[in-house]
Amino acid sequence: MSLYAIGDLHLCLGAYKPMDVFGGRWEGYMDKLREGLSVIEPGDTTVLLGDLSWALGIEQAEKDFAFLHEIPGRKIILKGNHDYWWTTAAKFYKFCAEQGFSNMEILHKGRDFDNTVVTISDVNRPALQLVGFYDYFDDKRLQILGRGEMQFLERMTEAERTRVFNKLLSYPFPAMIVARDMEAPSELVQMANKHDRTLLRSAESTVDVTSKLIDYLNRAMAPQIARHGVLMNIYGQGVLILGDSGIGKSETAIELLKRGHRLVADDAVEIRRISNNLFGTAPEIIRHYIEIRGVGVIDVQQLFGMGAVQFDTEIDLVIQLEQWVDGKFYDRLGLGEEKYEMLGVELPIVTIPVRPGRNLAGIVEIATMKNRQMKYGYNAARDFVTQFDSKMDAMIKENRAKQ
C-alpha cells in the first residue's frame, strides 16, 4: 500500500476555465494529470490537498469529482481556500452519496463544527448587520440568509461583500444557514473559511427554516421536570394522574386503555414547558410499558396495539388520587376551580378520593369531559346553581304574593 498526496488540481471539467490557457508546461494539462495518476493502485491512499475544482457550486463540480472518483483506492479530501464549491460537510457527503462517490471523505471543518452548543432558541436574519449596524447584534443566535438578504448582496461589489462578510463572520455565532438552496456567494465561503465559521445550506424556504428551527430549539431547550404518575390521552386531552404509590394509578390506566384511550407514560413522566404549555412524554427505556403489582410489566403496544399508545401529549388536566378520609370535605358541587402549578404554568386539578367500589376509570373520563366543557365556556355546576337560584327566587316571590 502506498500513500500519495497532490493538490492545486484546479479541475474545470464542468466549467470552461482550462489550465491550458497558461501555455507552456500547462498545455495538455488533463492528459498529463491522467498519466501521473495512473501509478495509483486500488490498495493505495491519495490525499487531495485542496483547490481541487474551479466550480463555484457543488453541482457544477460533479464532473470534476467523477474524475477524482476514478482514481483507484481511498481518497482523503482537504478543502482549499479556492474550493468555492464547498459549503458544508453534510452537503458534500449528501452530494457524494447521490452521485455514487462512495470512497471520498472530507476532513476540514470549522473548529467549532463538532462541539458548538446552541443556547438560544431565537434565530436572526442579519439584514441590519449587512449595512453595518451591530449595536444590538446577538452572536449567540443562528444566522439565516434569505432571498431578501441575497438580493441586497447582489447589488454590492465584490470588495463590499468581502468587507461585509469579513466583519459578520468574525463574530462567534453557532452557524450561518443559506435558505432556499441558493448559491452561497464566493466571498461568504472565503470568509467562512478564513474565520472557521460553520456554513450550512437548506432547500427549505426562509420562513420554513426559521419556524422549524425555532420550534425544534424551543422543544430541545425547554425547561423540564419529572413527575411520578401516569399520563394518558383521554378524549383528545392530556390527563396527568398523580397519587401515592399503590393508590391505583396504573390499574386505572389499564381500565382506560380497555375503553379505547391512549397511554403516554406510566410511573415516570417527563414534562417540558414550551411557551405557556406543558407537554409530557415517557423516558425512552420505559416507553409503552406499564407495571401492575401482582402481574408484572406489560407491553401496552404489543397487548393493545399501536392505537393504544402515544409518544407525547399536551397536558390539559391533573387528576390527584388520594385515599378516602372519613370526615374530610370533598367538593360535591364542582364550583371550585383548583389549580396545580408546574414550571410556572397553572393547570386545573381534580382531587378524587379512592375507596373500594368506586369506578375510577369512569370518574376520570367524566372529569376529562367536564374539563373539556369548561374550556369551551360551559360549567355545569354554575348552570345548576343559576337554575337553582332562579327557582328559589321564583318560589320566594310566589310565597310573598300569597301572604
Side-chain angles (χ1 to χ4, degrees):
M1 183 187 77
S2 299
L3 176 66
Y4 296 90
I6 186 172
D8 292 318
L9 297 178
H10 294 297
L11 299 174
C12 55
L13 299 174
Y16 187 75
K17 194 174 182 181
M19 300 298 289
D20 303 67
V21 297
F22 294 103
R25 69 179 66 180
W26 292 102
E27 291 182 359
Y29 167 70
M30 289 303 299
D31 293 333
K32 293 176 181 178
L33 187 58
R34 289 188 179 92
E35 181 180 355
L37 296 174
S38 65
V39 301
I40 301 174
E41 297 178 354
D44 298 336
T45 296
T46 303
V47 181
L48 301 169
L49 300 172
D51 290 350
L52 306 177
S53 170
W54 282 119
L56 296 178
I58 190 73
E59 293 79 14
Q60 196 180 58
E62 179 180 345
K63 293 182 180 179
D64 297 336
F65 281 104
F67 173 83
L68 296 175
H69 181 66
E70 293 175 357
I71 300 174
R74 178 171 176 255
K75 273 82 70 178
I76 298 175
I77 294 180
L78 303 179
K79 182 176 73 66
N81 63 332
H82 291 126
D83 282 325
Y84 302 139
W85 51 267
W86 189 92
T87 53
T88 68
K91 184 75 173 179
F92 178 73
Y93 285 133
K94 180 182 178 183
F95 170 77
C96 290
E98 291 174 347
Q99 303 301 326
F101 303 152
S102 57
N103 56 1
M104 298 184 184
E105 60 183 304
I106 189 164
L107 297 181
H108 180 83
K109 298 178 182 178
R111 60 178 176 269
D112 56 356
F113 185 89
D114 295 313
N115 54 20
T116 296
V117 178
V118 179
T119 59
I120 296 179
S121 60
D122 291 329
V123 300
N124 180 57
R125 293 184 66 175
L128 290 174
Q129 287 68 53
L130 296 183
V131 295
F133 185 78
Y134 285 86
D135 289 2
Y136 296 96
F137 179 55
D138 188 349
D139 59 15
K140 294 182 177 62
R141 299 186 184 189
L142 291 167
Q143 307 296 315
I144 299 178
L145 291 178
R147 180 174 291 171
E149 290 82 5
M150 287 300 192
Q151 290 288 332
F152 179 72
L153 287 165
E154 287 180 1
R155 298 184 178 183
M156 296 183 179
T157 65
E158 182 177 336
E160 289 173 331
R161 284 193 296 268
T162 301
R163 175 182 55 79
V164 166
F165 285 131
N166 185 42
K167 182 172 183 179
L168 178 58
L169 274 71
S170 68
Y171 287 82
F173 50 76
M176 175 169 284
I177 303 168
V178 178
R180 293 185 176 273
D181 211 17
M182 293 181 290
E183 194 70 39
S186 59
E187 299 84 6
L188 172 59
V189 179
Q190 283 180 311
M191 292 303 107
N193 181 55
K194 174 184 175 181
H195 296 284
D196 261 341
R197 203 68 62 221
T198 299
L199 182 62
L200 307 173
R201 181 160 57 182
S202 172
E204 301 274 359
S205 69
T206 313
V207 172
D208 287 342
V209 170
T210 302
S211 60
K212 289 179 180 179
L213 271 175
I214 292 175
D215 180 66
Y216 171 79
L217 291 173
N218 276 332
R219 291 177 178 273
M221 296 189 289
Q224 178 176 324
I225 59 172
R227 284 288 185 269
H228 173 67
V230 174
L231 182 59
M232 302 282 299
N233 185 288
I234 304 172
Y235 298 127
Q237 291 203 101
V239 180
L240 178 63
I241 304 174
L242 304 176
D244 295 336
S245 182
I247 195 71
K249 299 184 296 296
S250 296
E251 291 81 357
T252 303
I254 289 292
E255 181 60 32
L256 289 167
L257 285 168
K258 292 172 66 177
R259 295 175 180 223
H261 306 297
R262 293 178 178 177
L263 173 73
V264 179
D266 176 65
D267 193 52
V269 184
E270 294 180 345
I271 301 170
R272 289 184 174 88
R273 174 177 176 170
I274 301 174
S275 187
N276 290 321
N277 301 313
L278 297 180
F279 293 82
T281 188
E284 182 66 32
I285 194 170
I286 62 171
R287 182 166 291 134
H288 304 161
Y289 288 97
I290 283 185
E291 182 247 333
I292 304 294
R293 284 175 174 80
V295 177
V297 176
I298 65 171
D299 187 331
V300 173
Q301 179 181 330
Q302 295 297 324
L303 193 61
F304 292 92
M306 281 297 299
V309 295
Q310 188 167 319
F311 179 80
D312 63 2
T313 185
E314 182 178 350
I315 303 176
D316 300 287
L317 174 67
V318 178
I319 300 286
Q320 178 73 47
L321 301 182
E322 65 175 42
Q323 292 290 349
W324 186 293
V325 178
D326 289 334
K328 182 177 178 179
F329 172 77
Y330 294 105
D331 189 4
R332 301 182 64 180
L333 194 57
L335 278 175
E337 297 180 9
E338 297 183 35
K339 298 294 183 180
Y340 183 86
E341 183 178 334
M342 287 186 294
L343 297 173
V345 177
E346 289 188 340
L347 295 171
I349 181 172
V350 176
T351 300
I352 300 177
V354 178
R355 71 176 179 182
R358 300 203 82 194
N359 184 348
L360 293 181
I363 296 173
V364 170
E365 283 184 323
I366 294 299
T368 304
M369 287 189 286
K370 180 186 175 183
N371 185 65
R372 189 178 182 88
Q373 280 186 327
M374 293 177 69
K375 271 191 167 182
Y376 285 96
Y378 177 74
N379 188 320
R382 289 180 180 173
D383 189 44
F384 172 77
V385 170
T386 299
Q387 292 185 42
F388 180 81
D389 289 343
S390 297
K391 288 286 186 182
M392 290 298 297
D393 290 342
M395 291 174 61
I396 292 171
K397 289 181 180 179
E398 184 178 345
N399 288 335
R400 286 178 178 174
K402 291 178 179 179
Q403 292 178 354

